[in-house]
Amino acid sequence: MANKILTQLVVIVVSFFGLWFLLSQIEYIGEGDMHRFAKESEKKLSEMILESITNTHDEIENEKVKAILDSIKVRLCEAKKLDCDKIKIHLVRSSEINAFALPDHHMVIYTGLLEYAKNAEEVAGVMAHEIGHMEKNHVMKKLVKEIGMEMLFTIAAGDAGNDISRETAKVLSSTAFDRKHEREADAFAVETLANADIDPQHLSNFFFRLARKDNLPEELAWISTHPDTKERSAEIIKQKKEYTYTSKPILVTPWESIQQLLVNTDDEDVDEIEEVVADAIDSTEVE
């Protein structure tokens, strides 16, 4: 009898550790898949997604607006000692209030976000948040979870149709990351903004105001209905108290002057706007 009980106990112990080992191997394989997704494949995947976006939306080639966004990017990157060159910004014509990260450190910013923002600091906050997703590798983790590794390889190999590429773009542009990843990106943004002498309060204001906005498009419905959006805004305010910084404005000119660049202007307005932009770009230089 004692031998039978001992045998059963051994079987239970072996089964337990056997199951534990198998589960640990499954998780390991998942991480391995992430690493196996070579940089070149990630680059091709990003190109496919970008192409599907620009097929339906115009990419804005206004060098002056892009120069301002790039100068904000530089200020954020230098604050965190990041390689600015690896982050590529794409300004896309769309009324949606949105910005999102793509694989291979591409960032898409919709003109609707620039039109909705009250100042350059809010835009910087959103950009810092998206850079956080990039640096934490949230983008690929999200795609693996939502689409699957096999499909990602198919897209990167060019074997997927346009519909699949569009759906992949939609996953990144219109669905939220999980709460853990959103909070990690928020924390990254707060630290980056503080290091860049930009008050993180602006990011909190943007999120809170957007969460209360009525008649959001379907693609942004998750922002207003996300159960912890207001809590995240409050957490940003709490976290910013951990840092010492001197708030320095990004632009010396009114934000409305920059927003005006997104609208078609008459020829006689061009010289005046160019002067405004030149002053704005000069003001973003990091001391």
Side-chain angles (χ1 to χ4, degrees):
M1 184 70 176
N3 289 337
K4 183 177 181 180
I5 294 175
L6 181 60
T7 301
Q8 290 176 340
L9 180 60
V10 170
V11 171
I12 292 173
V13 171
V14 171
S15 298
F16 172 79
F17 282 103
L19 179 61
W20 175 83
F21 175 76
L22 289 174
L23 291 176
S24 66
Q25 287 300 105
I26 291 173
E27 183 176 352
Y28 174 78
I29 290 172
E31 290 295 321
D33 282 342
M34 186 71 70
H35 293 300
R36 284 195 302 107
F37 200 85
K39 192 67 180 177
E40 187 62 29
S41 296
E42 188 175 334
K43 180 180 178 181
K44 290 180 180 178
L45 175 63
S46 183
E47 290 173 353
M48 293 287 293
I49 298 174
L50 274 171
E51 183 178 358
S52 70
I53 293 173
T54 54
N55 281 340
T56 55
H57 299 80
D58 292 331
E59 184 167 0
I60 305 300
E61 298 298 337
N62 188 312
E63 295 300 327
K64 298 173 180 61
V65 178
K66 291 174 67 175
I68 292 173
L69 294 177
D70 282 338
S71 63
I72 294 174
K73 178 191 73 172
V74 169
R75 181 163 169 176
L76 296 174
C77 288
E78 291 187 351
K80 285 287 288 182
K81 296 181 172 57
L82 302 176
D83 182 1
C84 293
D85 293 335
K86 72 179 181 180
I87 300 175
K88 287 80 67 176
I89 296 176
H90 306 268
L91 181 61
V92 173
R93 176 79 66 186
S94 174
S95 60
E96 294 177 22
I97 308 166
N98 207 356
F100 50 94
L102 298 181
D104 194 34
H105 285 78
H106 288 267
M107 183 191 306
V108 174
I109 299 176
Y110 285 161
T111 54
L113 185 143
L114 303 186
E115 293 165 354
Y116 181 75
K118 289 187 176 295
N119 50 52
E121 284 75 14
E122 289 190 352
V123 175
V126 175
M127 290 174 63
H129 176 89
E130 296 305 325
I131 292 174
H133 282 313
M134 296 176 185
E135 292 299 309
K136 300 292 184 179
N137 201 29
H138 292 165
V139 180
M140 291 306 302
K141 290 178 181 178
K142 178 179 179 179
L143 287 177
V144 169
K145 178 181 177 181
E146 298 286 341
I147 297 176
M149 182 60 68
E150 183 177 351
M151 182 58 70
L152 292 180
F153 274 113
T154 299
I155 297 172
D159 296 331
N162 292 332
D163 290 343
I164 295 178
S165 297
R166 282 195 295 270
E167 286 302 312
T168 305
K170 186 175 181 180
V171 166
L172 291 175
S173 66
S174 61
T175 60
F177 290 86
D178 63 36
R179 295 186 182 189
K180 176 185 176 182
H181 290 169
E182 290 291 6
R183 289 193 172 106
E184 286 179 354
D186 287 345
F188 181 95
V190 171
E191 180 181 4
T192 301
L193 292 168
N195 289 351
D197 284 326
I198 300 171
D199 192 346
Q201 177 74 46
H202 293 287
L203 178 60
S204 176
N205 293 346
F206 181 86
F207 281 162
F208 188 80
R209 192 172 77 253
L210 192 57
R212 299 179 63 185
K213 180 176 171 58
D214 295 327
N215 301 319
L216 278 174
E218 181 182 353
E219 292 81 359
L220 291 180
W222 63 269
I223 294 178
S224 61
T225 58
H226 205 283
D228 64 346
T229 301
K230 293 181 181 179
E231 293 178 13
R232 285 172 56 199
S233 297
E235 184 64 22
I236 289 172
I237 297 174
K238 178 181 177 181
Q239 289 176 356
K240 80 169 194 171
K241 296 177 181 178
E242 301 175 7
Y243 301 95
T244 301
Y245 58 91
T246 302
S247 183
K248 298 178 182 178
I250 293 177
L251 302 178
V252 297
T253 54
W255 178 242
E256 292 78 7
S257 299
I258 309 305
Q259 291 173 319
Q260 186 62 29
L261 292 171
L262 301 174
V263 182
N264 291 331
T265 57
D266 297 330
D267 292 340
E268 57 265 25
D269 296 330
V270 171
D271 291 340
E272 180 181 353
I273 291 176
E274 287 184 350
E275 182 178 349
V276 169
V277 174
D279 292 340
I281 294 174
D282 289 341
S283 72
T284 61
E285 294 180 356
V286 180
E287 298 179 357

